Amino acid sequence: MDDELIQDLISDLPQSIIESILIRLPIQDAVRTSVLSSKWRYKWAAVTHLVFDHKCVAVSNDRSVVQHSLVKFITRALFLHQGPIHKFQLSTNYLQCSPDIDQWLLFLSRTDIKELVLELGDGEWFRVPSCLFNCKKLTHLELFRCELDPPPSFKGFLCLRSLNLHQVLVAPEAIESLISSCPLLESLLLSYFDSLALTICAPNLKYLCLEGEFTDICLKNTPLLVAISVAMYMTEDVAEHFEQSSSCNFIKFLGGVPHLEKLVGHIYFTKYLSIGDYPGRFPIAYSHLRVIELYQVSFEDMNEILVVLRLILNSPNLKELQISGSPNTLPAIGAPDLDFWEKECPSDCTLKRLKDVKMTDMSGVPHEMEFIKFLLANSPVLKSMTISPCVVMDGKVNMLIGLLRFRRASPQAEILFIQD
């Protein structure tokens, strides 16, 4: 009797609460609730979030068996579904080019789908059918290893706020057109693109993550950006293209992002920003920039050092700074131009809010040491500076002695020297 009462209490919960419970279950478990009672037979069929992967079906060493079972399970789930579908996610290595996916997407394009994720793993690229571009209510689109070719009649996803493309084959002009035709776009992630020259025009964009071989990047109309993360891979062709450029990459990329709060630059990003003829006058101050992370900075390249200094000196509210040295940095053969620091750093410079500094993969070359000296001398509220020398570095003791001799503007500043 008690069990029946408990069952009735659960069954009589409002549909919104039941759906909230079912959404949190793996889809195969949500379907299994149909055996609880006649009341529960089709409650799972009204859930608005459908997430499918290979765990939906029984494990088998026969790939074709898993594929057949998965297609059957998903097709039946969509056939029995009642009401709107707000999210559809398919993550599997078994259905790369299954024609059934086209049919599922055609079905979803008629349901006002809002979130769509296709993660189809290794193998052949899946060619996205044209019906995808009829999903006018999409707010989030995430594609892995797909081939994307918007039809000429496509006018954009007018409701899209988040676009993630991983290893997607798409023409450069098509990706630029896709981005610019999503007026509400706030988050953009592009990863594993090859030899792509990209101009981004997205007036509402706030979060940008780029990873791949980019021959050029221009942020043309992105005034609301608050967070940027970039990793650039360099081939000989891309490097040659960089060296031939005369336009200032720093201005093209960071000249129009006044609201930036966090900047993360991975491999070759600082090198990319250093290329081109700098106009001499800095266009904006990064008053909102709190966190800067730059990896594999070459302290033997004066132009890269200038990039780091420009960012720091024009970020009056900077709180956290993380810099890693380049693994290819070698001791200078000739005497370094240490007068550079007096020329480029104003005597009245103060990093008023900088509290935490991390320097990793340091090799102890003169300009690295001068940079650390500059930070310590001009950061009155600095609390912690963590320095990790690179593994193969000689002279770590001399480096540590040099660090301890540097003047500190902050009486609370603590230097942590970490050796692996």
Side-chain angles (χ1 to χ4, degrees):
M1 185 70 178
D2 292 341
D3 290 343
E4 292 180 4
L5 178 60
I6 292 173
Q7 183 178 351
D8 287 339
L9 288 174
I10 296 175
S11 300
D12 291 336
L13 285 172
Q15 178 60 28
S16 60
I17 295 179
I18 292 176
E19 181 179 337
S20 179
I21 295 171
L22 293 175
I23 282 177
R24 287 163 173 77
L25 295 176
I27 185 65
Q28 64 272 24
D29 292 338
V31 172
R32 290 189 184 111
T33 62
S34 61
V35 303
L36 292 177
S37 70
S38 58
K39 287 184 177 181
W40 281 81
R41 187 171 183 182
Y42 292 111
K43 284 189 180 296
W44 70 269
V47 297
T48 57
H49 292 196
L50 300 177
V51 179
F52 300 99
D53 57 27
H54 65 278
K55 298 177 183 177
C56 294
V57 295
V59 177
S60 174
N61 292 327
D62 189 332
R63 183 180 181 88
S64 62
V65 170
V66 177
Q67 181 175 347
H68 175 75
S69 300
L70 192 55
V71 168
K72 183 178 179 180
F73 181 84
I74 297 174
T75 301
R76 181 170 175 77
L78 292 177
F79 178 75
L80 294 175
H81 192 273
Q82 303 169 358
I85 299 175
H86 293 160
K87 177 179 180 178
F88 179 89
Q89 178 173 336
L90 176 60
S91 303
T92 178
N93 293 325
Y94 291 91
L95 303 175
Q96 278 88 347
C97 293
S98 172
D100 297 280
I101 301 177
D102 291 26
Q103 298 301 315
W104 300 336
L105 291 177
L106 178 61
F107 173 81
L108 293 169
S109 67
R110 299 166 178 168
T111 64
D112 289 340
I113 183 75
K114 294 182 179 180
E115 297 182 41
L116 178 62
V117 180
L118 294 180
E119 186 175 1
L120 300 178
D122 298 331
E124 294 184 45
W125 266 257
F126 170 70
R127 184 174 179 82
V128 176
S130 59
C131 62
L132 170 71
F133 300 97
N134 294 326
C135 300
K136 303 299 184 182
K137 298 294 182 66
L138 274 180
T139 61
H140 175 80
L141 176 61
E142 188 164 4
L143 302 177
F144 294 76
R145 292 186 65 81
C146 293
E147 186 176 347
L148 199 62
D149 186 15
S153 59
F154 178 61
K155 302 301 182 183
F157 294 117
L158 301 184
C159 299
L160 197 69
R161 295 183 181 275
S162 176
L163 176 63
N164 296 352
L165 302 180
H166 310 259
Q167 289 183 286
V168 172
L169 298 178
V170 57
E173 60 274 11
I175 184 65
E176 291 184 357
S177 176
L178 175 60
I179 294 170
S180 62
S181 61
C182 301
L184 300 182
L185 190 65
E186 296 181 351
S187 176
L188 174 63
L189 184 151
L190 304 177
S191 67
Y192 296 101
F193 280 75
D194 295 334
S195 301
L196 179 63
L198 182 65
T199 297
I200 296 177
C201 180
N204 284 299
L205 193 64
K206 295 180 180 180
Y207 308 98
L208 176 64
C209 181
L210 302 175
E211 180 180 4
E213 293 177 13
F214 295 94
T215 58
D216 199 10
I217 308 173
C218 178
L219 302 184
K220 189 175 181 180
N221 182 18
T222 55
L224 301 184
L225 268 174
V226 297
I228 297 176
S229 175
V230 182
M232 305 183 74
Y233 305 134
M234 191 79 69
T235 63
E236 290 185 4
D237 292 340
V238 173
E240 183 179 353
H241 177 82
F242 278 176
E243 295 300 333
Q244 294 174 353
S245 175
S246 61
S247 59
C248 180
N249 288 349
F250 193 106
I251 300 299
K252 284 194 300 182
F253 195 88
L254 293 174
V257 287
H259 297 286
L260 193 62
E261 297 177 8
K262 182 175 182 178
L263 175 64
V264 180
H266 295 277
I267 180 171
Y268 290 118
F269 179 64
T270 311
K271 176 66 176 176
Y272 171 77
L273 292 182
S274 72
I275 293 172
D277 300 326
Y278 188 69
R281 188 176 64 86
F282 207 76
I284 60 173
Y286 302 106
S287 301
H288 302 274
L289 191 55
R290 304 288 194 274
V291 180
I292 295 176
E293 298 177 18
L294 298 174
Y295 298 91
Q296 298 197 13
V297 177
S298 173
F299 281 89
E300 290 299 293
D301 186 328
M302 307 309 294
N303 289 325
E304 288 195 42
I305 298 175
L306 279 172
V307 166
V308 178
L309 287 177
R310 284 174 195 151
L311 284 170
I312 293 174
L313 295 177
N314 287 278
S315 303
N317 296 305
L318 184 66
K319 291 184 177 181
E320 299 177 24
L321 175 66
Q322 182 165 342
I323 305 284
S324 80
S326 170
N328 300 320
T329 298
L330 297 173
I333 298 176
D337 179 19
L338 297 183
D339 292 339
F340 162 87
W341 294 93
E342 292 185 9
K343 297 174 186 175
E344 298 296 336
C345 301
S347 57
D348 59 345
C349 167
T350 303
L351 307 176
K352 296 180 180 180
R353 289 177 171 78
L354 186 61
K355 294 182 178 181
D356 185 30
V357 175
K358 294 180 181 178
M359 306 282 292
T360 59
D361 292 324
M362 294 290 103
S363 56
V365 296
H367 284 300
E368 282 181 357
M369 298 299 287
E370 287 295 317
F371 180 65
I372 294 171
K373 179 180 179 180
F374 162 75
L375 293 177
L376 288 171
N378 294 280
S379 306
V381 298
L382 186 68
K383 292 185 176 180
S384 172
M385 176 178 284
T386 303
I387 299 175
S388 302
C390 56
V391 177
V392 297
M393 174 190 167
D394 296 325
K396 295 179 181 178
V397 174
N398 291 335
M399 181 182 183
L400 179 57
I401 293 174
L403 292 173
L404 295 175
R405 290 175 176 170
F406 291 155
R407 184 181 70 84
R408 307 179 200 182
S410 170
Q412 298 176 334
E414 182 180 31
I415 297 179
L416 303 176
F417 193 78
I418 299 176
Q419 301 185 71
D420 292 332

